[in-house]
């Protein structure tokens, strides 16, 4: 019995151990399955990455070359084949020095060593193509794993065109320097920190300095310039980036200079020339002109001198009183307030014919002048036109008044002759209209008879106005509404339309009252209506409408 219990106990222990081992085996199996699944996902992602990297490698615009650590080419992209002129099969059989110009072998060795030891390298070198031509390249290298081993990736960019441009730029800069050194005018350039970056020989001689000033502050080299017009204008150009031109007397050499200051991105450039002799000549000419202008200024007529470009060189006090000072404006701008020259200006002919001209002209200020133009030669032999203007406004107004009086006398004589002939039949018609309007059978047309009588009275008033043309007319304004006037005229307009088989539609909308002369407005509406009826054909409609537009 005791043996059976022991055996049963051992069996139970064995069974627990087996169950435990089975559970552990199942857990290990699940973990293994999960690890296999994870590895598959990683392998798939790695495959995708390799495909992407391969696509980038193939499509890159730069040349990619993969070297082993001995410098042999093991892989290249299509751009590298294109750049070096080899096929893919040819390139992967070559050593790196086979594509490097012999003078740069040391650079290739350094490229391999530094990339391996320091994980990177960058330089410019000269490569040789399959056809023997040389190209300049920029090379960047890095160490990376390729197919399970350490390799070197070289990213190569062709910079041959850039190098050619750089050489041309250096050559052009040298040419510019040669030009600036050869000119007889002074020139120097400052950076935005006021340091002298270039100064030619003429400027050094003019300011009594040497080439040692290059790289130093302009204000330290030329302290006497501070606070002068040069200092002010240089700072203005540097700050506002606008070109300036001015004349001034030199600081270190007492001679006059013409200065041109120009901004550029990193500072300013200054160009100046000696104009002392020119200033002396100009001063002498100015004195001669002043004596001449004093003589012209004393004349009693309006006087001004102009050149062929319409610039006013001189104008006397009488000119200023009437038109104002020219202030660098051209003659057509000052006198006529025009933006362009006058058409067929008689003064223009002076410069071609040299023959004096005389004419009359009314100016924008209402003044009428008799203008005399003479050819004139300045002290420096430049051709000018001398214009003398004599005011004849009073004389012209007197002539106009005399002509108007003659016309009024003629009108008065005509009016006296026809007044009775026109008024007598009108009086007769008006009387008969009054008689007919009082009869019972015309009672319904009373309004029409009144309208005709009003029109006869208005015609009579027109004759009265005609007889009084020589007198000042007084306009009588009253507050009226256009709708009322149109409504009273509509029967008369409609009657005129019906005679010619035409139709009139009256559309009156609400409008405000206005200050009007009723007689004049009635005549205006009648004239407009008659014009409208004449413009349409028989059977057509004419619409008269009023409305208020904001």
């Amino acid at each position: 019995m005791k043996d059976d219990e022991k055996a049963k106990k051992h069996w139970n222990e064995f069974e627990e151990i087996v169950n435990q081992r089975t559970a552990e085996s199942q857990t290990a199996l699940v973990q293994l399955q999960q690890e296999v699944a994870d590895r598959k996902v990683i392998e798939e992602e790695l495959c995708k990455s390799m495909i992407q990297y391969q696509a980038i490698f193939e499509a890159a615009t730069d040349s990619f070359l993969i070297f082993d650590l001995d410098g042999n080419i093991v892989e290249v992209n299509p751009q590298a084949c294109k750049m070096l002129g080899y096929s893919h099969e040819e390139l992967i059989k070559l050593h790196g020095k086979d594509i490097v110009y012999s003078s740069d072998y040391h650079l290739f060795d350094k490229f391999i060593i530094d990339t391996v030891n320091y994980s990177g390298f960058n330089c410019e070198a000269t490569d040789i193509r399959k056809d023997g031509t040389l190209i300049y390249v920029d090379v960047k290298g890095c160490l990376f794993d390729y197919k399970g081993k350490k390799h070197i990736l070289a990213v190569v960019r062709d910079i041959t065109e850039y190098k050619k441009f750089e050489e041309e730029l250096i050559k052009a800069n040298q040419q510019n320097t040669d030009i600036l050194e050869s000119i007889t005018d002074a020139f120097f350039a400052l950076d935005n920190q006021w340091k002298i970056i270039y100064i030619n020989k003429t400027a050094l001689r003019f300011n009594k300095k040497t080439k040692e000033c290059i790289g130093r502050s302009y204000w330290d080299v030329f302290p006497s310039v501070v606070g002068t017009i040069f200092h002010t204008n240089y700072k203005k150009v540097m700050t506002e980036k606008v070109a300036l031109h001015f004349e001034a007397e030199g600081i270190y050499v007492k001679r006059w200079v013409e200065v041109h200051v120009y901004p550029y991105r990193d500072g300013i450039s200054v160009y100046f020339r000696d104009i002392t002799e020119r200033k002396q000549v100009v001063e002498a000419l100015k004195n001669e002109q002043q004596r001449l202008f004093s003589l012209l200024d004393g004349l009693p007529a309006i006087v001004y001198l102009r050149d062929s470009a319409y610039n006013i060189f001189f104008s006397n006090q009488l000119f200023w009183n009437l038109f104002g000072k020219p202030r660098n404006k051209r003659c057509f701008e000052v006198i006529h307030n025009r933006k362009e020259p006058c058409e067929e200006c008689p003064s223009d002919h002076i410069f071609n014919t040299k023959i004096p001209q005389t004419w009359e002209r009314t100016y924008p200020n209402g003044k009428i002048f008799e203008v005399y133009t003479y050819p004139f030669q300045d002290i420096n032999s430049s051709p000018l036109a001398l214009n003398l203007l004599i005011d004849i406004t009073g004389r012209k107004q007197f002539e106009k008044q005399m002509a108007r009086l003659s016309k009024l006398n003629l009108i008065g004589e005509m009016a006296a002759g026809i007044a009775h002939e026109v008024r007598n039949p009108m009086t007769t018609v008006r009387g008969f209209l009054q008689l007919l309007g009082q009869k019972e059978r015309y009672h319904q047309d009373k309004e029409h008879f009144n309208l005709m009588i009003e029109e006869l009275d208005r015609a009579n008033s027109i004759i009265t106005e005609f007889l009084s043309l020589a007198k000042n007319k007084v306009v009588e304004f009253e507050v009226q509404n256009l709708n009322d006037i149109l409504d009273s005229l509509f029967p008369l307009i409609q009657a005129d339309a019906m005679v010619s088989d035409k139709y009139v539609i009256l559309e009156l909308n609400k409008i405000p009252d206005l200050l009007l002369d009723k007689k004049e407005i009635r005549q205006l509406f009648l004239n407009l209506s008659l014009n409208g009826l004449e413009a349409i054909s028989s059977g057509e409609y004419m619409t008269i409408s009023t409305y208020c537009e904001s």
Side-chain angles (χ1 to χ4, degrees):
M1 185 66 181
K2 289 182 179 180
D3 292 336
D4 290 339
E5 290 178 355
K6 287 181 180 180
K8 187 177 182 180
K9 182 179 180 182
H10 287 303
W11 175 257
N12 290 335
E13 290 176 355
F14 174 75
E15 192 176 29
E16 288 178 3
I17 292 170
V18 170
N19 290 336
Q20 185 178 356
R21 293 288 187 267
T22 301
E24 290 175 353
S25 297
Q26 288 177 346
T27 301
L29 179 60
V30 171
Q31 290 178 346
L32 180 61
Q33 289 174 342
Q34 183 62 43
E35 289 177 0
V36 171
D38 291 342
R39 182 173 295 177
K40 285 183 178 180
V41 172
I42 292 171
E43 288 176 351
E44 288 176 359
E45 292 296 326
L46 182 59
C47 182
K48 289 180 181 178
S49 298
M50 291 299 294
I51 292 171
Q52 290 176 349
Y53 289 140
Q54 184 66 28
I56 294 172
F57 186 81
E58 295 291 331
T61 55
D62 288 331
S63 299
F64 287 177
L65 296 93
I66 299 176
F67 298 90
D68 62 20
L69 300 186
D70 294 325
N72 297 303
I73 301 173
V74 297
E75 186 58 82
V76 295
N77 70 343
Q79 183 63 25
C81 297
K82 181 180 178 181
M83 181 184 73
L84 296 168
Y86 290 93
S87 67
H88 180 270
E89 291 73 16
E90 290 172 331
L91 268 178
I92 60 176
K93 295 177 182 179
L94 299 178
H95 187 272
K97 288 186 177 180
D98 294 333
I99 61 171
V100 176
Y101 190 55
S102 58
S103 63
D104 285 346
Y105 282 172
H106 67 287
L107 284 176
F108 184 77
D109 292 335
K110 184 174 176 58
F111 166 70
I112 297 294
I113 294 169
D114 286 2
T115 303
V116 171
N117 295 330
Y118 305 111
S119 300
F121 184 77
N122 182 211
C123 71
E124 291 183 4
T126 306
D127 281 357
I128 183 167
R129 289 169 49 86
K130 181 180 178 180
D131 60 9
T133 57
L134 300 179
I135 57 173
Y136 295 100
V137 293
D138 178 74
V139 184
K140 292 180 176 62
C142 64
L143 198 63
F144 80 117
D145 289 329
Y146 178 70
K147 294 184 179 180
K149 294 182 179 181
K150 293 293 183 181
H151 285 74
I152 296 172
L153 173 64
V155 181
V156 184
R157 178 171 295 179
D158 186 347
I159 59 170
T160 306
E161 292 299 323
Y162 170 77
K163 280 292 186 181
K164 289 181 180 178
F165 174 76
E166 191 177 57
E167 290 173 359
E168 290 295 327
L169 184 61
I170 292 172
K171 183 179 178 181
N173 286 337
Q174 185 58 48
Q175 289 177 341
N176 291 336
T177 301
D178 294 341
I179 292 171
L180 291 173
E181 289 295 335
S182 65
I183 62 176
T184 57
D185 296 322
F187 175 84
F188 64 88
L190 310 176
D191 66 12
N192 52 23
Q193 300 299 316
W194 297 105
K195 290 182 180 179
I196 302 171
I197 59 175
Y198 179 81
I199 184 167
N200 72 351
K201 293 183 293 186
T202 305
L204 290 171
R205 288 198 304 269
F206 196 87
N207 292 293
K208 299 180 180 179
K209 299 294 178 181
T210 65
K211 283 286 185 181
E212 294 176 358
C213 65
I214 294 178
R216 296 174 57 193
S217 170
Y218 180 82
W219 311 121
D220 292 340
V221 177
F222 302 101
S224 299
V225 176
V226 177
T228 67
I229 186 174
F230 298 92
H231 176 252
T232 302
N233 287 339
Y234 292 172
K235 290 189 68 175
K236 182 179 179 65
V237 176
M238 183 75 80
T239 304
E240 300 180 9
K241 296 300 180 184
V242 293
L244 272 182
H245 313 284
F246 63 96
E247 294 179 359
E249 191 173 10
I251 304 298
Y252 293 92
V253 179
K254 297 301 180 182
R255 297 183 67 81
W256 278 89
V257 290
E258 179 184 72
V259 186
H260 304 270
V261 191
Y262 303 97
Y264 69 97
R265 186 184 62 183
D266 298 322
I268 62 172
S269 59
V270 182
Y271 164 91
F272 58 95
R273 63 172 54 180
D274 188 340
I275 58 167
T276 305
E277 293 181 2
R278 190 183 77 186
K279 289 285 287 186
Q280 292 171 349
V281 172
V282 170
E283 190 64 28
L285 289 174
K286 185 178 179 180
N287 293 334
E288 289 295 326
Q289 287 178 332
Q290 188 60 45
R291 285 192 287 271
L292 175 62
F293 292 160
S294 298
L295 174 63
L296 295 175
D297 201 26
L299 294 177
I302 293 174
V303 180
Y304 71 93
L305 283 168
R306 51 150 288 202
D307 63 6
S308 57
Y310 307 99
N311 298 306
I312 298 177
F313 274 70
F314 169 80
S315 55
N316 66 356
Q317 187 64 47
L318 290 178
F319 181 99
W320 297 355
N321 294 342
L322 189 61
F323 303 113
K325 292 186 178 182
R327 302 185 188 281
N328 297 322
K329 292 183 179 180
R330 289 173 288 185
C331 61
F332 55 83
E333 295 173 319
V334 178
I335 300 174
H336 299 285
N337 294 322
R338 293 172 60 99
K339 294 182 178 179
E340 295 181 355
C342 307
E343 296 82 0
E344 298 297 326
C345 177
S347 293
D348 289 344
H349 300 297
I350 288 293
F351 298 99
N352 297 322
T353 64
K354 307 298 181 184
I355 299 174
Q357 302 283 331
T358 304
W359 75 97
E360 291 181 5
R361 172 163 288 184
T362 301
Y363 290 89
N365 57 15
K367 295 284 186 177
I368 304 172
F369 287 91
E370 196 166 45
V371 185
Y372 299 88
T373 302
Y374 302 94
F376 187 82
Q377 195 171 55
D378 200 2
I379 193 71
N380 59 0
S381 300
S382 59
L384 299 172
L386 173 63
N387 293 271
L388 286 83
L389 284 69
I390 299 175
D391 190 350
I392 58 171
T393 308
R395 190 183 76 190
K396 285 294 181 181
Q397 290 177 346
F398 177 76
E399 292 175 354
K400 186 177 180 180
Q401 289 295 332
M402 292 301 296
R404 183 171 180 273
L405 287 173
S406 298
K407 186 183 293 185
L408 289 175
N409 287 335
L410 177 61
I411 291 173
E413 291 174 3
M414 292 173 59
I418 65 174
H420 292 293
E421 298 297 327
V422 174
R423 277 178 165 172
N424 287 340
M426 285 176 59
T427 302
T428 303
V429 172
R430 189 179 189 283
F432 276 105
L433 286 173
Q434 287 178 322
L435 290 173
L436 290 173
Q438 293 173 0
K439 293 185 177 182
E440 185 68 26
R441 59 179 175 173
Y442 295 118
H443 184 71
Q444 61 182 2
D445 296 320
K446 180 72 173 177
E447 184 178 348
H448 294 166
F449 281 101
N450 290 338
L451 178 61
M452 287 186 283
I453 291 171
E454 287 179 8
E455 290 302 311
L456 286 171
D457 290 341
R458 191 169 64 83
N460 187 50
S461 67
I462 291 173
I463 293 173
T464 302
E465 290 176 6
F466 180 73
L467 292 172
S468 60
L469 279 177
K471 299 178 182 179
N472 292 326
K473 178 183 176 182
V474 178
V475 180
E476 297 179 358
F477 288 106
E478 297 179 4
V479 176
Q480 305 282 336
N481 193 287
L482 294 178
N483 286 344
D484 296 337
I485 298 174
L486 281 171
D487 191 50
S488 65
L489 287 175
F490 183 65
L492 184 61
I493 298 171
Q494 197 173 38
D496 288 339
M498 292 176 63
V499 172
S500 54
D501 193 25
K502 299 174 184 178
Y503 303 95
V504 182
I505 299 173
L506 186 64
E507 296 179 354
L508 302 179
N509 297 299
K510 186 176 180 180
I511 57 175
D513 293 340
L514 300 172
L515 197 62
L516 307 169
D517 185 324
K518 184 176 180 179
K519 295 180 181 179
E520 296 293 339
I521 291 297
R522 283 170 61 89
Q523 185 63 48
L524 173 65
F525 283 160
L526 280 176
N527 291 343
L528 290 173
S529 300
L530 291 175
N531 289 342
L533 290 172
E534 290 177 0
I536 64 176
S537 304
S538 297
E540 293 184 340
Y541 288 81
M542 179 182 75
T543 301
I544 302 173
S545 65
T546 60
Y547 58 92
C548 190
E549 186 177 84
S550 58

